Amino acid sequence: MYDQANRDIHCLRLSLTESCNLRCCYCRPQEPAALPPQELTDAELLHLVQLFAACGIDTLRLTGGEPLLRAGVPQLTARLKAVPGIRKVTLTTNGTLLSAQLPALKEAGLDGINLSLNSLSYTRNKRISRLTPPQHAAVKQAFEDAMFCGIPLKLNYMALRGYNEQDYRWLVRRYVRFFPVRLRFLELMPVGCARELQELGIPNSEILQQLRQDYPRLYSLPPAQSAAFGDGPAVYYTNPGWAGSVGFISPVHGKEPFCTRCNRVRLSASGFLRPCLASEEGVELGEMLRGGASDVQLLEAIRAAVRSKPLQHPFHPWDCLDIPVTRDMYRIGG
Ligand code: SAM
């Protein structure tokens, strides 16, 4: 499916739930969350995914909220994998509930795991994600289990000034050098509650500079090899002798045009199709489905929404946003 800028849109982020058991300071405000919307049922989700696949979507990423709070994710994964045209299903998770479900997820054919891991230190992780000691222990266990389960693993790391800005150096020294793990640095985007945290955001260029000091032979992987790691916007580097790699996702401070390579759209837990993370424009597919819309009408709505995908997000520069993105990331589906 091609949009107005001729970008090939073939990835769909599926939010399985807006509920989350953590409150990461940049994702979910401390005050009680809004009442979650009525979630799509598995049958509704599968129906919509069949239509998306008919339009050319071949890659799904299950996210949320915390997707593993939804019951039956391994079974849903297997059913999504069986939809004709769907090539790849991956999962983004905070890891608190992952270990117990890993064997079933593997059995279901899950193609990749993105584990959000901002620090291995409980004190620092707690400041960021407000988790409890058992939750932190579960995340560490999930990290180890995921590393050895045979499903390709990426770590999502959000470096925040004064919180965990040096912790990635330990992850590189201890893990990236020896295991085939991809440590990816996310730049903080001014979305929802994160708009108050501008001073905490660290440009990825600073992290790369530090890594180059630690590892002077660090080199960037050719785009084709980066693309083989997952066709998202990350730019990957490695070092001679490393088993793993580091990846940079730089929507805010990156010099390269970020949105020209965007290939995704998002479906919220209630079925709202959002062509751009930073826009409230979209179409209520869930409501249409429940209102009795035909497949032809749904397909037309999907195609129209994708065609109108905005050319660029409004995050440059941070403090001059034309249209502030007020919705928190846990509701958009990160
Ligand atoms: N609960 C799951 C998790 O923690 O991975 C999935 C949902 S979470 C919204 C997905 C990803 O979005 C996380 O890796 C998180 O770090 C990232 N994220 C959340 N808020 C963000 C923001 N303001 N800017 C950039 N990334 C953000």
Side-chain angles (χ1 to χ4, degrees):
M1 223 178 339
Y2 288 87
D3 72 356
Q4 55 172 331
N6 215 25
R7 292 172 292 193
D8 179 7
I9 308 302
H10 65 99
C11 302
L12 176 66
R13 298 226 162 168
L14 274 182
S15 174
L16 297 188
T17 177
E18 281 189 12
S19 301
C20 192
N21 51 355
L22 299 184
R23 279 178 197 276
C24 301
C25 59
Y26 46 78
C27 188
R28 196 161 171 242
Q30 230 164 345
E31 55 269 19
L35 216 58
Q38 188 186 355
E39 290 169 3
L40 295 174
T41 63
D42 284 5
E44 289 168 337
L45 247 171
L46 279 152
H47 187 149
L48 289 178
V49 166
Q50 279 161 5
L51 299 180
F52 276 101
C55 294
I57 292 289
D58 61 7
T59 303
L60 304 176
R61 170 169 296 286
L62 311 181
T63 182
E66 173 46 43
L68 293 178
L69 282 173
R70 184 173 173 130
V73 177
Q75 294 81 345
L76 180 62
T77 303
R79 294 175 75 189
L80 291 169
K81 288 267 311 186
V83 172
I86 297 300
R87 214 171 36 86
K88 209 168 160 188
V89 180
T90 60
L91 171 78
T92 301
T93 173
N94 63 31
T96 50
L97 305 167
L98 180 62
S99 286
Q101 303 203 46
L102 256 184
L105 287 166
K106 186 166 183 196
E107 177 76 26
L110 188 72
D111 296 288
I113 296 172
N114 282 21
L115 176 64
S116 299
L117 184 73
N118 295 323
S119 179
L120 287 173
S121 142
Y122 172 61
T123 324
R124 289 195 288 280
N125 218 356
K126 179 174 171 237
R127 274 189 79 205
I128 299 171
S129 298
R130 305 171 180 131
L131 38 56
T132 62
Q135 283 177 321
H136 180 70
V139 176
K140 283 173 70 172
Q141 185 64 51
F143 174 35
E144 249 176 54
D145 294 342
M147 209 154 40
F148 299 109
C149 77
I151 303 175
L153 175 65
K154 293 175 183 164
L155 299 179
N156 281 357
Y157 182 94
M158 174 80 78
L160 298 177
R161 217 176 285 289
Y163 282 68
N164 63 337
E165 60 193 275
Q166 293 291 315
D167 292 26
Y168 69 89
R169 295 172 75 187
W170 170 251
L171 289 171
V172 171
R173 207 175 322 142
R174 179 85 190 264
Y175 297 101
V176 176
R177 285 169 59 194
F178 303 111
F179 301 99
V181 55
R182 288 155 205 161
L183 173 61
R184 290 141 35 97
F185 298 96
L186 313 181
E187 278 183 351
L188 183 65
M189 289 186 284
V191 171
C193 56
R195 288 175 300 154
E196 309 297 317
L197 305 177
Q198 179 177 358
E199 69 286 359
L200 302 187
I202 300 180
N204 271 341
S205 53
E206 258 185 65
I207 295 174
L208 180 58
Q209 199 179 2
Q210 176 66 61
L211 278 169
R212 281 194 192 286
Q213 278 174 21
D214 293 349
Y215 305 97
R217 291 196 294 155
L218 201 68
Y219 64 95
S220 63
L221 293 176
Q225 208 174 335
S226 277
F229 287 174
D231 46 7
V235 178
Y236 285 93
Y237 290 68
T238 192
N239 201 59
W242 280 9
S245 55
V246 288
F248 295 88
I249 302 174
S250 315
V252 181
H253 300 283
K255 290 204 177 63
E256 311 262 316
F258 188 77
C259 300
T260 51
R261 288 188 294 139
C262 189
N263 55 16
R264 64 200 55 183
V265 290
R266 292 174 152 79
L267 190 68
S268 80
S270 62
F272 180 73
L273 174 61
R274 181 178 276 108
C276 172
L277 178 153
S279 167
E280 276 304 300
E281 302 291 312
V283 54
E284 288 282 7
L285 295 180
E287 278 180 16
M288 284 181 70
L289 188 62
R290 289 183 188 140
S294 68
D295 284 358
V296 173
Q297 289 169 319
L298 289 163
L299 282 166
E300 187 38 48
I302 292 171
R303 292 198 177 109
V306 169
R307 265 197 307 275
S308 70
K309 182 174 165 69
L311 299 182
Q312 198 163 2
H313 66 55
F315 302 151
H316 296 285
W318 180 297
D319 45 3
C320 299
L321 300 181
D322 294 339
I323 312 158
V325 185
T326 50
R327 192 170 287 259
D328 291 300
M329 192 67 124
Y330 79 98
R331 302 194 62 203
I332 296 173

